[in-house]
Each structure stands twice: as structure tokens, then as C-alpha cells.
């Protein structure tokens, strides 16, 4: 998954909650559960992106 996709998911989740992850063109590529897991890992600090 790309960094931009993850950022989009976080933005959608923060704005619309769980339902926000069901919307958008990138929504059809990943299950909602996969998105939630990625967001949780990122927010826990276990996942970082190099600069």
C-alpha cells in the first residue's frame, strides 16, 4: 500500500469514522478490516515511512 493511500484512509476515518473507509476509489482495493489494521499499526507507532 502506498503512503498516500494510508494517509487518505486516516483522513477518511478521522472525518467519517468506520463508514469513511467504505468510500472512495481506493476503497475497492482493500477490505475495511485491512484498512483499520493498517491505521491502527500506523497510529501505534509501529509503522513509519522514511523521508
Amino acid at each position: 500500500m502506498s503512503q498516500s493511500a494510508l494517509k487518505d484512509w486516516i483522513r477518511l476515518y478521522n472525518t467519517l469514522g468506520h463508514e469513511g473507509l467504505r468510500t472512495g476509489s481506493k476503497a475497492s482495493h482493500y477490505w475495511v478490516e485491512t484498512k483499520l489494521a493498517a491505521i491502527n499499526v500506523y497510529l501505534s507507532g509501529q509503522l513509519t515511512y522514511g523521508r
Side-chain angles (χ1 to χ4, degrees):
M1 109 188 51
S2 70
Q3 181 178 6
S4 65
L6 181 58
K7 286 181 179 181
D8 286 344
W9 297 347
I10 292 169
R11 180 185 51 77
L12 286 168
Y13 185 77
N14 286 335
T15 304
L16 303 171
H18 192 265
E19 278 302 309
L21 299 178
R22 296 182 190 275
T23 63
S25 62
K26 294 177 184 170
S28 62
H29 292 37
Y30 296 95
W31 293 96
V32 171
E33 293 80 9
T34 302
K35 293 177 184 182
L36 285 171
I39 290 169
N40 287 328
V41 169
Y42 178 79
L43 293 177
S44 73
Q46 296 175 31
L47 176 68
T48 59
Y49 286 102
R51 293 182 183 237

